Each structure stands twice: as C-alpha cells, then as structure tokens.
Amino acid sequence: MREAYVPKAVFYTLPVVIDRGEGAAVQDVDGNIFLDFAGGIGVLNIGYSHPEVVEEVKKQAEKFLHASINVIQYENYFKLAKRLCEVTPGDFQKSAMMVNSGAEAVENAVKAARRFTGRTEIIAFEGAFHGRTLLTMTLTSKVKPYKYGFGPFAPGVHKMPYPYCYRCPYGLCRETCGLHCAKRFEDLFLQEVAPEDIAAIIIEPVQGEGGFIVPPDDFIKELGRICDRYGILLIADEIQSGFYRTGKLFACEYWGVVPDMITTAKSLGAGLPLSAVVARKEILDSAEFGQLGGTYSGNPVANAAALKVIEIMQRDDFDDKANMINKLAFERLGAMKNRFEIIGDVRGRGAMIALEFVKDRVSKEANKDAVQKIIRNAFAQGLILISAGVRGNVIRFLMPLVITEEQLMKGLDILENSIEQI
Ligand SMILES: Cc1ncc(COP(=O)(O)O)c(C=O)c1O
C-alpha cells in the first residue's frame, strides 16, 4: 500500500510498522519488540502513550474534538497559554499562541518579529533546521533532501556560521579563537545587511538536525549583547531541545541570556500535533486582531495533553531523568570513543547526546557510510537509532526520558555491538 499510494518523498528510516508503544519500547505489527532511541524525532520525551496523558486526551475527546479558537473559544487554550508563560524563562509579561507544527510556530514567530520591529531581515545559522514550509525551509541549512529543487526561497534571510567547534567554520580552535564567529557579525553588518533592518536572530540552543551541536555559552552571551545593541529580537527555537531533553524544561535556561521569543513543539503535545510561540507580550500584541491564527491552531485535545505533560514532567523530576541518561550514556560513550577510532566526537547536553563518526580523527572526513551501517546493525538487534548532521555522519539520541536504566544499558550494548560489527 505504501509503495502504491504514498509518495517516496515521504521518507522513512527503518522498515518497521508499529502496532503499539509503551515507555521507550515499541511492538511492531509482526510482534517484534524494539527499544526506541528516536522517540518520534524528539516528540516522545514523556514516553509512548503515557497513561495519564491518554486519560486527559480521552476526557477532552469525549467533550469536543474541535471548535476552532477563532470561532468558539475554549478554556484549555487560555490555560495552556498561561502555563507556557509561567514556565518559560523571562521575568517579564508574556503571551503565547498555539499552532500545529514546529514549522508553523517558527513562521508565526517570524511574522510577529517583523510586525513588531517593522524590520524585514532575519538571521539564521548554517546547519539549522527550522522546518519544511517555504520560509522555514529557507531558514534551514541542509540542501539535500530538504531544499533541493524547491526554490526559489523566501527573501530576507541571511545565514551565519554556527559555532560548531568540532569543525570550526574558520579552522580555529576554541581555546584561542577569541570567539571569532561572534565577531563576524560586525562584518555581516558592514557587508551584507544593516543591523537596523534585522528583525530577529533565530537560533537552536542545541542544534538538532545539524548534529546536536552545543554552542559555547560565551557565544550566546555575545549574541545577546548584539541583539540588545541593535534592538534585534532573539528567538530560541526550542522545538527539539525543549521539554527536559537537555535537563531543563527549555535549553535556553542554561544561557544566562533571556530570549525574546521561544518556539516549542514536539514533546509539548506528547505526540499530538501542537506547537507554540511564547514571547514578550508586546511582540505578539503588535499583530492586529485576526492577524494570527488558523483553523486547527491550538487543538483542544492537544492542549489537554500538553497541560498534563507539563504537570507530569515537573512533578516527576524529568530533569533528573535527563541527567541520569547523561551520566550513564557519557560514561559508556566515552569508553566507546576510546575503543573505536571512527568515533570522532561525543557531545551533547543532558539527554540530547550525539556521536559524530569520521573516517579518521585527523582528517575528520565524515563517515556517513558507517552511520548507515550502524543503524542497520542496531535495527537487526532491536534498537531504533536515527542520524543527524549536515553530512549525515551523526547518530543522535532522542530516547523517551522515561527509559529505564536497564533499557538504556541494553540499548548502549546494542550500539556498541553494532559499531564493533563494522
Ligand atoms: C529545531 C526545530 N525547529 C523546527 C522544526 C520543524 O518542526 P515540524 O517538523 O513540526 O514542522 C524541527 C523539526 O525537527 C526542529 O527540530
């Protein structure tokens, strides 16, 4: 049926068809059990089918599935907006709006940033992933498969190198670079775009699709200073890094710089399509009545799930869960790095952890082939892994944070074995 009726462009990573999922495990339609280190690409931080979330979803579904917030209003939209304003960093008045997908949240953040500042230009980063719509595909920095043949792209977008210290875009080394990547902004302003024309800088606190790259804290501080100096809004795209993935509810809580706007999605809705923009109140308020919205935006069933997700994650100390994964995984991955020359880098924050594979550690030539083979080997042993990175040579961990210690260890055993096999 897939081959006959579904376009091949709708990609899949592994030939597995799910029947049911629980926690961090999946059973396929043939009865095979898999451990899942992909979590629906970072959507299932709370695990598959969390019983309390399912209960809330059922309760809401029995009342009404949809009303359209732009026609008949419903309370859980307001409650979720309030909750998101409370739990996001920033000691200032905020407001929040819900939409359906990560890309849609980013689109709305950019719309509001332009409306508020009266400026048109947006700065994004090389290696970024912000979505697949025209604007977010433009903000995204991976040509194949995401952009190839889909141009022309949206105007008003400029790219800067992301501080990817393992492969410094300037060939420098962190200890002595003097934060050259931040200094390059002044060149951009001289040669490419006036800072007074820039509405916003959008950045992933940990680059997701780009390969789980954590920028140096000093870079972010410098970015904050640049934004303050020129009245540019700072947008943290937390769509992949949010909801305790990095050990805090939002990864930008590590920054010491408070973003003006946050986009969130994925694990917010525990699997139901939901995203949000949370921003300084005056930013979203700059758009006039009717300028923001959408038929399905802030679906009541998804909102019910999200309210429960936030409650459970705070109650059940999901920060501890991410930190436990960090501690156990880094110990094992460090040992694997000592064993296997093809592991060039082990990095991450909290449970947002990745391994970068190279042909050798001196040339650092990307080893995409190894990643594909490791993913296949792991799959044959019951572990679901996914790749990342502009060069496709990174394996990233997005396992549900509810994974048990035993499951985590089992998964890491399979990973080690899969690397050994090649
Ligand atoms: C950081 C980031 N932004 C935006 C998106 C786009 O989200 P969606 O696929 O829900 O449109 C993603 C998806 O992976 C993402 O990781």
Side-chain angles (χ1 to χ4, degrees), residues 8 19 49 88 128 135 185 206 209 217 239 249 293 304 324 337 358 365:
K8 65 180 183 307
D19 180 44
S49 312
T88 41
L135 175 63
F185 273 85
V206 177
E209 183 74 21
D217 291 339
I239 287 164
L249 185 52
M324 188 274 282
K337 189 176 172 200
V358 291
E365 194 183 331

PDB file of all heavy atoms in Angstrom, residues 8 19 49 88 128 135 185 206 209 217 239 249 293 304 324 337 358 365:
ATOM      1  N   LYS A   8       7.261   8.484  -2.540  1.00  0.00           N
ATOM      2  CA  LYS A   8       8.502   8.027  -1.889  1.00  0.00           C
ATOM      3  C   LYS A   8       9.189   9.156  -1.134  1.00  0.00           C
ATOM      4  O   LYS A   8       9.986   8.924  -0.224  1.00  0.00           O
ATOM      5  CB  LYS A   8       9.447   7.373  -2.889  1.00  0.00           C
ATOM      6  CG  LYS A   8       9.980   8.303  -3.963  1.00  0.00           C
ATOM      7  CD  LYS A   8      10.914   7.535  -4.888  1.00  0.00           C
ATOM      8  CE  LYS A   8      11.545   8.418  -5.945  1.00  0.00           C
ATOM      9  NZ  LYS A   8      10.608   9.232  -6.751  1.00  0.00           N
ATOM     10  N   ASP A  19       2.741  -1.355  15.984  1.00  0.00           N
ATOM     11  CA  ASP A  19       1.409  -1.743  16.436  1.00  0.00           C
ATOM     12  C   ASP A  19       1.064  -0.984  17.711  1.00  0.00           C
ATOM     13  O   ASP A  19       0.012  -0.400  17.841  1.00  0.00           O
ATOM     14  CB  ASP A  19       1.363  -3.250  16.688  1.00  0.00           C
ATOM     15  CG  ASP A  19      -0.018  -3.693  17.151  1.00  0.00           C
ATOM     16  OD1 ASP A  19      -1.006  -3.232  16.549  1.00  0.00           O
ATOM     17  OD2 ASP A  19      -0.111  -4.463  18.121  1.00  0.00           O
ATOM     18  N   SER A  49       2.403   6.778  24.825  1.00  0.00           N
ATOM     19  CA  SER A  49       1.101   6.529  25.463  1.00  0.00           C
ATOM     20  C   SER A  49       1.147   6.594  26.995  1.00  0.00           C
ATOM     21  O   SER A  49       0.743   5.660  27.676  1.00  0.00           O
ATOM     22  CB  SER A  49       0.570   5.146  25.045  1.00  0.00           C
ATOM     23  OG  SER A  49       0.683   5.001  23.657  1.00  0.00           O
ATOM     24  N   THR A  88       8.270  29.395  31.006  1.00  0.00           N
ATOM     25  CA  THR A  88       9.384  29.804  30.132  1.00  0.00           C
ATOM     26  C   THR A  88      10.227  30.868  30.844  1.00  0.00           C
ATOM     27  O   THR A  88       9.698  31.629  31.657  1.00  0.00           O
ATOM     28  CB  THR A  88       8.852  30.381  28.806  1.00  0.00           C
ATOM     29  OG1 THR A  88       7.722  31.206  29.100  1.00  0.00           O
ATOM     30  CG2 THR A  88       8.441  29.296  27.843  1.00  0.00           C
ATOM     31  N   ALA A 128      21.267  24.839  10.533  1.00  0.00           N
ATOM     32  CA  ALA A 128      19.983  24.914  11.253  1.00  0.00           C
ATOM     33  C   ALA A 128      18.907  24.078  10.568  1.00  0.00           C
ATOM     34  O   ALA A 128      18.954  23.845   9.358  1.00  0.00           O
ATOM     35  CB  ALA A 128      19.525  26.361  11.320  1.00  0.00           C
ATOM     36  N   LEU A 135       9.177  29.495   4.146  1.00  0.00           N
ATOM     37  CA  LEU A 135      10.054  30.321   4.974  1.00  0.00           C
ATOM     38  C   LEU A 135      10.985  29.462   5.817  1.00  0.00           C
ATOM     39  O   LEU A 135      12.187  29.725   5.881  1.00  0.00           O
ATOM     40  CB  LEU A 135       9.223  31.234   5.896  1.00  0.00           C
ATOM     41  CG  LEU A 135      10.065  32.035   6.884  1.00  0.00           C
ATOM     42  CD1 LEU A 135      11.016  32.997   6.170  1.00  0.00           C
ATOM     43  CD2 LEU A 135       9.199  32.797   7.865  1.00  0.00           C
ATOM     44  N   PHE A 185      29.818  38.941  13.123  1.00  0.00           N
ATOM     45  CA  PHE A 185      28.557  39.664  12.955  1.00  0.00           C
ATOM     46  C   PHE A 185      28.797  41.104  12.501  1.00  0.00           C
ATOM     47  O   PHE A 185      28.043  41.640  11.701  1.00  0.00           O
ATOM     48  CB  PHE A 185      27.731  39.633  14.252  1.00  0.00           C
ATOM     49  CG  PHE A 185      26.873  38.405  14.343  1.00  0.00           C
ATOM     50  CD1 PHE A 185      27.391  37.217  14.837  1.00  0.00           C
ATOM     51  CD2 PHE A 185      25.560  38.420  13.899  1.00  0.00           C
ATOM     52  CE1 PHE A 185      26.611  36.078  14.894  1.00  0.00           C
ATOM     53  CE2 PHE A 185      24.775  37.281  13.955  1.00  0.00           C
ATOM     54  CZ  PHE A 185      25.300  36.100  14.455  1.00  0.00           C
ATOM     55  N   VAL A 206      20.504  24.080  21.138  1.00  0.00           N
ATOM     56  CA  VAL A 206      21.397  22.981  20.746  1.00  0.00           C
ATOM     57  C   VAL A 206      20.928  22.617  19.337  1.00  0.00           C
ATOM     58  O   VAL A 206      19.757  22.295  19.149  1.00  0.00           O
ATOM     59  CB  VAL A 206      21.272  21.748  21.667  1.00  0.00           C
ATOM     60  CG1 VAL A 206      22.163  20.617  21.160  1.00  0.00           C
ATOM     61  CG2 VAL A 206      21.613  22.102  23.102  1.00  0.00           C
ATOM     62  N   GLU A 209      18.834  18.825  14.129  1.00  0.00           N
ATOM     63  CA  GLU A 209      19.094  18.152  12.857  1.00  0.00           C
ATOM     64  C   GLU A 209      20.558  18.360  12.416  1.00  0.00           C
ATOM     65  O   GLU A 209      21.163  17.506  11.780  1.00  0.00           O
ATOM     66  CB  GLU A 209      18.123  18.739  11.820  1.00  0.00           C
ATOM     67  CG  GLU A 209      18.165  18.132  10.450  1.00  0.00           C
ATOM     68  CD  GLU A 209      17.535  16.753  10.388  1.00  0.00           C
ATOM     69  OE1 GLU A 209      16.723  16.427  11.272  1.00  0.00           O
ATOM     70  OE2 GLU A 209      17.881  16.009   9.461  1.00  0.00           O
ATOM     71  N   ASP A 217      28.819  28.993  25.705  1.00  0.00           N
ATOM     72  CA  ASP A 217      27.979  29.964  26.418  1.00  0.00           C
ATOM     73  C   ASP A 217      28.367  31.399  26.070  1.00  0.00           C
ATOM     74  O   ASP A 217      27.516  32.282  25.970  1.00  0.00           O
ATOM     75  CB  ASP A 217      28.099  29.756  27.936  1.00  0.00           C
ATOM     76  CG  ASP A 217      27.443  28.445  28.351  1.00  0.00           C
ATOM     77  OD1 ASP A 217      26.600  27.939  27.585  1.00  0.00           O
ATOM     78  OD2 ASP A 217      27.789  27.923  29.430  1.00  0.00           O
ATOM     79  N   ILE A 239      12.219  23.707  19.622  1.00  0.00           N
ATOM     80  CA  ILE A 239      11.301  22.661  19.168  1.00  0.00           C
ATOM     81  C   ILE A 239      11.859  21.265  19.448  1.00  0.00           C
ATOM     82  O   ILE A 239      11.132  20.371  19.858  1.00  0.00           O
ATOM     83  CB  ILE A 239      10.944  22.910  17.685  1.00  0.00           C
ATOM     84  CG1 ILE A 239       9.991  24.116  17.634  1.00  0.00           C
ATOM     85  CG2 ILE A 239      10.339  21.678  17.020  1.00  0.00           C
ATOM     86  CD1 ILE A 239       9.820  24.755  16.282  1.00  0.00           C
ATOM     87  N   LEU A 249      13.686  22.382  31.433  1.00  0.00           N
ATOM     88  CA  LEU A 249      12.467  22.405  30.618  1.00  0.00           C
ATOM     89  C   LEU A 249      12.776  23.014  29.239  1.00  0.00           C
ATOM     90  O   LEU A 249      12.390  22.477  28.212  1.00  0.00           O
ATOM     91  CB  LEU A 249      11.369  23.192  31.360  1.00  0.00           C
ATOM     92  CG  LEU A 249       9.992  23.235  30.740  1.00  0.00           C
ATOM     93  CD1 LEU A 249       9.447  21.867  30.385  1.00  0.00           C
ATOM     94  CD2 LEU A 249       9.010  23.950  31.671  1.00  0.00           C
ATOM     95  N   GLY A 293      -3.382  33.065  13.691  1.00  0.00           N
ATOM     96  CA  GLY A 293      -4.371  32.008  13.993  1.00  0.00           C
ATOM     97  C   GLY A 293      -4.318  30.887  12.983  1.00  0.00           C
ATOM     98  O   GLY A 293      -3.262  30.616  12.408  1.00  0.00           O
ATOM     99  N   ALA A 304      -5.031  19.680  25.986  1.00  0.00           N
ATOM    100  CA  ALA A 304      -5.257  18.888  27.208  1.00  0.00           C
ATOM    101  C   ALA A 304      -4.033  18.018  27.473  1.00  0.00           C
ATOM    102  O   ALA A 304      -3.553  17.901  28.613  1.00  0.00           O
ATOM    103  CB  ALA A 304      -6.514  18.029  27.047  1.00  0.00           C
ATOM    104  N   MET A 324      20.292  11.654  34.520  1.00  0.00           N
ATOM    105  CA  MET A 324      20.686  10.246  34.702  1.00  0.00           C
ATOM    106  C   MET A 324      21.121   9.650  33.357  1.00  0.00           C
ATOM    107  O   MET A 324      22.168   8.994  33.256  1.00  0.00           O
ATOM    108  CB  MET A 324      19.492   9.465  35.291  1.00  0.00           C
ATOM    109  CG  MET A 324      19.771   8.048  35.714  1.00  0.00           C
ATOM    110  SD  MET A 324      19.628   6.844  34.383  1.00  0.00           S
ATOM    111  CE  MET A 324      17.853   6.633  34.248  1.00  0.00           C
ATOM    112  N   LYS A 337      34.375   5.636  22.620  1.00  0.00           N
ATOM    113  CA  LYS A 337      35.267   6.527  21.849  1.00  0.00           C
ATOM    114  C   LYS A 337      36.721   6.055  21.985  1.00  0.00           C
ATOM    115  O   LYS A 337      37.481   6.087  21.011  1.00  0.00           O
ATOM    116  CB  LYS A 337      35.113   7.978  22.330  1.00  0.00           C
ATOM    117  CG  LYS A 337      35.842   8.956  21.440  1.00  0.00           C
ATOM    118  CD  LYS A 337      35.623  10.397  21.848  1.00  0.00           C
ATOM    119  CE  LYS A 337      36.542  11.281  21.017  1.00  0.00           C
ATOM    120  NZ  LYS A 337      36.764  12.585  21.606  1.00  0.00           N
ATOM    121  N   VAL A 358      33.710   9.601  11.934  1.00  0.00           N
ATOM    122  CA  VAL A 358      34.683  10.089  10.947  1.00  0.00           C
ATOM    123  C   VAL A 358      35.453   8.900  10.367  1.00  0.00           C
ATOM    124  O   VAL A 358      35.430   7.802  10.948  1.00  0.00           O
ATOM    125  CB  VAL A 358      35.685  11.075  11.610  1.00  0.00           C
ATOM    126  CG1 VAL A 358      34.996  12.371  11.996  1.00  0.00           C
ATOM    127  CG2 VAL A 358      36.372  10.450  12.819  1.00  0.00           C
ATOM    128  N   GLU A 365      37.241  13.322   8.110  1.00  0.00           N
ATOM    129  CA  GLU A 365      36.337  13.127   6.969  1.00  0.00           C
ATOM    130  C   GLU A 365      35.061  12.429   7.445  1.00  0.00           C
ATOM    131  O   GLU A 365      35.137  11.419   8.167  1.00  0.00           O
ATOM    132  CB  GLU A 365      37.033  12.294   5.890  1.00  0.00           C
ATOM    133  CG  GLU A 365      36.298  12.349   4.569  1.00  0.00           C
ATOM    134  CD  GLU A 365      36.939  11.453   3.510  1.00  0.00           C
ATOM    135  OE1 GLU A 365      38.164  11.235   3.560  1.00  0.00           O
ATOM    136  OE2 GLU A 365      36.203  10.968   2.648  1.00  0.00           O
TER     137      GLU A 365
END
